[in-house]
């Protein structure tokens, strides 16, 4: 949920943009598929808005994504306190290294895959699932930003790519295709740990590392109830050593791509 000051700012900007466009609430409402009274209620804070509404409003008002951008900022600042230092490090990283023993890293997840993973927690309402999904998708924008995007190196378990029942097969096929597209686009390197490597140091848990412009490293460790940002030199040294242990059992780039294609084809033909 957006904070109240940010919600007020979004409503104020919505009204300012609408008036600048010389649109009545009724005329504007028709263009975004709302009634004039509904627009009035949104501007007065008597009715909530969602991402779809703000996206339509930005398009109609030619606001260059201002309203949706404000919502994204509010959502990022609304993240738990333990996550905020990591988000700051991730946003300015020159290189990212990601490993998870059971999942595709969040920065490489498709929308369908991410939604399924978030929805697996039945404590989340549908609205909360969609909010978390939107934040996750927005974070991926760092990989395609026009100025100095980070290099992402991801290590993924072959078993992760092969874990899918019949209902999940289409999502998994699309997800692997997305991984291959990311590699082809450039800026992303993916290495697969084959199932034969049954025991290695990475099985202790997921880890992510970010290297800043000055060469400094920050780490992030997640768990069932939250996560921790790591910046102490001795702990970073340990994580870098663990990363090298994980990377050492993964296949080279070319072999990893061939294995991903093989797994994707196996899901497509079953």
């Amino acid at each position: 949920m957006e904070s109240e000051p940010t919600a007020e700012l979004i409503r104020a900007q919505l009204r300012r943009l609408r008036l600048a466009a010389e649109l009545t609430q009724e005329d504007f409402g028709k263009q975004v598929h709302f009634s004039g009274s509904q627009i009035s209620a949104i501007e007065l804070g008597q009715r909530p808005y969602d991402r779809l509404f703000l996206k339509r409003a930005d398009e109609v008002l030619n606001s260059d994504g201002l309203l949706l951008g404000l919502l994204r900022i509010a959502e990022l600042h609304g993240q738990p306190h333990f996550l905020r230092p990591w988000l700051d490090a991730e946003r300015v990283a020159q290189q990212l290294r990601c490993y998870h023993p059971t999942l595709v890293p969040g920065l490489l997840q498709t929308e369908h895959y991410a939604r399924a993973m978030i929805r697996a927690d039945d404590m989340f309402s549908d609205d909360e699932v969609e909010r978390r999904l939107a934040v996750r998708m927005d974070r991926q924008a760092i990989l395609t930003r026009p100025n100095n995007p980070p290099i992402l190196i991801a290590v993924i378990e072959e078993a992760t790519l092969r874990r899918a029942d019949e209902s999940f097969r289409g999502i998994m096929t699309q997800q692997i295709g997305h991984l291959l597209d990311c590699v082809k686009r450039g800026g992303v390197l993916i290495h697969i740990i084959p199932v034969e490597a049954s025991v290695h140091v990475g099985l202790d848990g997921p880890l992510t590392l970010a290297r800043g412009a000055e060469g400094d490293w920050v780490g992030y460790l997640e768990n069932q109830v939250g996560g921790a940002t790591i910046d102490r030199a001795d702990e970073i040294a340990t994580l870098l050593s663990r990363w090298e242990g994980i990377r050492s059992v993964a296949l080279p780039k070319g072999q990893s791509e061939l294995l991903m294609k093989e797994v994707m084809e196996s899901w497509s033909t079953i």
Side-chain angles (χ1 to χ4, degrees):
M1 178 70 69
E2 68 277 358
S3 65
E4 186 54 33
T6 305
E8 290 179 1
L9 175 61
I10 291 174
R11 290 194 293 267
Q13 289 299 313
L14 172 65
R15 184 172 186 277
R16 180 186 67 80
L17 291 165
R18 178 180 61 76
L19 292 175
E22 299 182 348
L23 291 172
T24 66
Q25 291 176 336
E26 194 71 33
D27 291 337
F28 174 63
K30 289 177 181 177
Q31 295 189 54
V32 294
H33 313 301
F34 276 63
S35 68
S37 61
Q38 288 173 323
I39 297 300
S40 175
I42 290 173
E43 291 184 354
L44 292 171
Q46 299 168 349
R47 178 188 174 99
Y49 49 76
D50 59 16
R51 301 180 72 81
L52 181 58
F53 170 79
L54 294 180
K55 182 175 183 294
R56 287 175 177 164
D58 275 328
E59 292 169 353
V60 169
L61 299 171
N62 296 315
S63 54
D64 197 26
L66 172 64
L67 299 174
L68 196 54
L70 288 171
L71 179 62
R72 287 170 175 163
I73 291 171
E75 288 173 336
L76 288 174
H77 283 286
Q79 293 298 303
H81 288 286
F82 68 79
L83 186 58
R84 293 178 191 174
W86 169 251
L87 293 178
D88 290 339
E90 181 182 81
R91 187 165 52 249
V92 299
Q94 300 295 300
Q95 184 186 113
L96 291 161
R97 300 178 178 182
C98 304
Y99 167 77
H100 197 293
T102 57
L103 298 175
V104 172
L107 289 176
L108 294 174
Q109 292 178 4
T110 65
E111 182 175 330
H112 293 303
Y113 182 96
R115 181 181 284 108
M117 295 303 104
I118 298 169
R119 185 163 282 158
D121 189 335
D122 57 13
M123 294 178 64
F124 297 147
S125 66
D126 288 346
D127 287 345
E128 179 64 11
V129 168
E130 294 304 312
R131 188 192 70 79
R132 288 173 178 257
L133 174 66
V135 172
R136 186 169 302 182
M137 294 296 102
D138 286 345
R139 285 171 63 185
Q140 295 181 3
I142 64 171
L143 300 180
T144 55
R145 67 190 179 203
N147 297 320
N148 200 21
I151 299 296
L152 171 62
I153 306 172
V155 176
I156 302 173
E157 298 279 348
E158 178 185 352
T160 294
L161 303 183
R162 293 193 183 278
R163 187 189 304 112
D165 58 23
E166 185 171 347
S167 64
F168 200 62
R169 187 182 306 147
I171 291 176
M172 201 69 240
T173 300
Q174 181 192 51
Q175 175 63 69
I176 299 173
H178 177 66
L179 295 177
L180 290 166
D181 288 343
C182 288
V183 171
K184 184 177 180 180
R185 183 182 68 220
V188 174
L189 301 174
I190 297 176
H191 300 278
I192 305 298
I193 296 180
V195 291
E196 290 81 7
S198 56
V199 178
H200 60 82
V201 69
L203 297 180
D204 281 344
L207 71 88
T208 308
L209 289 155
R211 189 181 71 193
E214 303 300 320
D216 52 314
W217 288 93
V218 176
Y220 183 71
L221 303 176
E222 60 180 297
N223 55 57
Q224 288 281 350
V225 294
T229 299
I230 309 297
D231 57 9
R232 283 179 43 183
D234 58 334
E235 294 179 335
I236 288 294
T238 297
L239 292 182
L240 287 169
S241 177
R242 294 285 176 89
W243 169 263
E244 292 303 324
I246 293 168
R247 176 65 187 84
S248 69
V249 297
L251 297 172
K253 176 178 179 291
Q255 292 182 35
S256 295
E257 291 177 35
L258 289 174
L259 182 53
M260 284 190 284
K261 291 176 182 177
E262 175 194 322
V263 175
M264 184 172 67
E265 289 172 2
S266 73
W267 285 125
S268 301
T269 57
I270 291 176

